[in-house]
Amino acid sequence: MQPKKRFGQHFLHDPYIICQIIEAICPQPNDAIVEIGPGQGALTFPLLRKIPQLYAIELDRDLASYLTQGCSSDSIKGKLILYNQDALRFDFSKLGDQQPLRIVGNLPYNISTALLFHLFTQADNIKDCHFMLQREIVLRMGAAPNSKDYGRLSVMTQFYCTVIRLFPVKPGAFLPPPKVDSMVVRLIPRKISLAPDLSPRVLNQIVTQAFSQRRKTLANSLKGWINAEELTELNIDPRLRPEALSLTQYLTLAHYWQKKTTDL
C-alpha cells in the first residue's frame, strides 16, 4: 500500500526499532492501550500478539480496511477496536472503561504538535504515552531554559508531563524515508498538577504571547499584558528574553495574569 502525502505517512518497517518500541511500552494484558495512526500495523500486530485488546484510531479508510483484514490472521490473538476517525478531534475519555489509557503511535509530523496539545487537554485520562516524533520536536519538548530548543512546546509539555527521551531513529527505518531524524519519547502525565488553581488556558495564553516575539525582552513581548514594573514586583527581570524563564516563573506570570483579568 502506497503512503499518502496528504496524511504525512511514513511507514515504520525496521524490525529492530519495532522491537525496541514494544519493549519500551512493555504492554501488559490488562492495559488499555490506544494506538494513534497505526498505518500498516508495524506496532499494531506485535501489540495484539501480547495483549487481548487494542484500540486504534486511523483516519485513512484504506489503511483501516487493511488493518481489519490483517487482524484476521491466526497469529493475531488480540481484538482490534478500530475507529476510522481524526485523532485531532477524538474524545479519548470514552475509551478504556475509566481505566487510565496508555497511548502509543508513530505520529505524523505535520500534526504532531497539534495532536500533543489535544492530548494534554485529556491528560487526566492518560497513564503514559510512547510516541515516535520528529527528533527536533522531542528535543523541544524536553528542553531546558536558555537553550535554542526551549519554547512554548517545552513549557506546556513539562507543565503536563514528565518527558523522557528514549532513543533516536534514522530515516532508513521508514518507507518512504523522511528527510529528518526521529526519536521515541515517553510522556508521563503528572498525577498532581503543578498549579491546580491555574487555568491551563491562561498559562498557554501567557506562554504563547511571550514566545510570539522570542528575540525581544519580556517587557516588549508582554507589552499590554504585564508591564515592566509588574514584572519587577514578581521578581522577574523585564530585560530577560522569554527563553530565560523557567516553568515556575511562567506559572508565576500566569497566576498573576489570571488574577489581574479576574479582577477587571
Side-chain angles (χ1 to χ4, degrees):
M1 185 172 295
Q2 292 298 315
K4 298 175 183 175
K5 288 186 178 181
R6 72 178 186 276
F7 290 137
Q9 292 172 345
H10 296 273
F11 297 135
L12 181 64
H13 72 94
D14 187 314
Y16 176 71
I17 297 297
I18 293 169
C19 284
Q20 274 193 296
I21 296 173
I22 297 297
E23 287 178 7
I25 297 169
C26 192
Q28 301 300 309
N30 294 327
D31 286 341
I33 299 183
V34 185
E35 185 179 9
I36 297 174
Q40 293 182 333
L43 298 178
T44 313
F45 300 143
L47 284 169
L48 284 171
R49 293 186 181 100
K50 292 180 176 291
I51 57 176
Q53 177 176 286
L54 174 69
Y55 301 102
I57 303 163
E58 177 55 65
L59 180 60
D60 187 328
R61 291 183 180 180
D62 293 332
L63 284 176
S65 176
Y66 173 86
L67 290 163
T68 301
Q69 293 176 17
C71 286
S72 63
S73 167
D74 291 339
S75 65
I76 306 297
K77 303 301 181 183
K79 176 184 178 183
L80 179 66
I81 301 175
L82 183 64
Y83 295 87
N84 183 205
Q85 297 181 31
D86 185 350
L88 286 170
R89 296 175 175 81
F90 192 81
D91 180 6
F92 289 83
S93 65
K94 69 183 183 181
L95 304 181
D97 296 326
Q98 299 184 338
Q99 183 180 352
L101 301 176
R102 305 192 65 200
I103 302 184
V104 305
N106 171 24
L107 302 188
Y109 296 157
N110 57 348
I111 65 163
S112 58
T113 300
L115 186 52
L116 287 168
F117 275 87
H118 177 56
L119 290 170
F120 292 158
T121 66
Q122 303 179 61
D124 289 345
N125 299 316
I126 299 172
K127 179 180 180 180
D128 61 22
C129 302
H130 290 82
F131 291 140
M132 175 104 70
L133 293 160
Q134 184 176 341
R135 178 178 177 273
E136 178 186 346
I137 296 290
V138 176
L139 294 180
R140 286 166 52 196
M141 291 164 68
N146 290 309
S147 67
K148 65 180 179 63
D149 294 317
Y150 187 71
R152 169 178 173 255
L153 182 60
S154 317
V155 176
M156 296 308 299
T157 302
Q158 293 169 41
F159 171 69
Y160 285 104
C161 305
T162 298
V163 182
I164 304 170
R165 300 169 186 166
L166 296 181
F167 50 87
V169 181
K170 292 296 183 181
F174 302 91
L175 288 175
K179 296 179 181 179
V180 295
D181 286 354
S182 302
M183 184 173 282
V184 177
V185 64
R186 177 183 293 133
L187 301 177
I188 304 176
R190 299 184 186 279
K191 293 182 179 179
I192 301 175
S193 173
L194 295 177
D197 56 340
L198 176 67
S199 165
R201 180 182 57 83
V202 172
L203 175 62
N204 189 41
Q205 287 176 338
I206 282 290
V207 175
T208 300
Q209 178 62 28
F211 281 101
S212 66
Q213 303 179 75
R214 65 178 296 143
R215 303 313 301 166
K216 293 189 175 183
T217 65
L218 283 170
N220 285 321
S221 63
L222 292 178
K223 188 175 181 179
W225 292 55
I226 304 175
N227 62 40
E229 292 75 17
E230 291 171 312
L231 289 168
T232 301
E233 290 176 5
L234 294 170
N235 293 316
I236 296 174
D237 188 341
R239 297 168 297 180
L240 292 174
R241 287 179 174 173
E243 66 263 26
L245 267 64
S246 66
L247 170 57
T248 300
Q249 288 173 306
Y250 274 111
L251 292 175
T252 298
L253 290 177
H255 273 117
Y256 182 79
W257 177 248
Q258 179 171 271
K259 185 177 187 303
K260 183 177 180 177
T261 52
T262 301
D263 291 344
L264 290 177

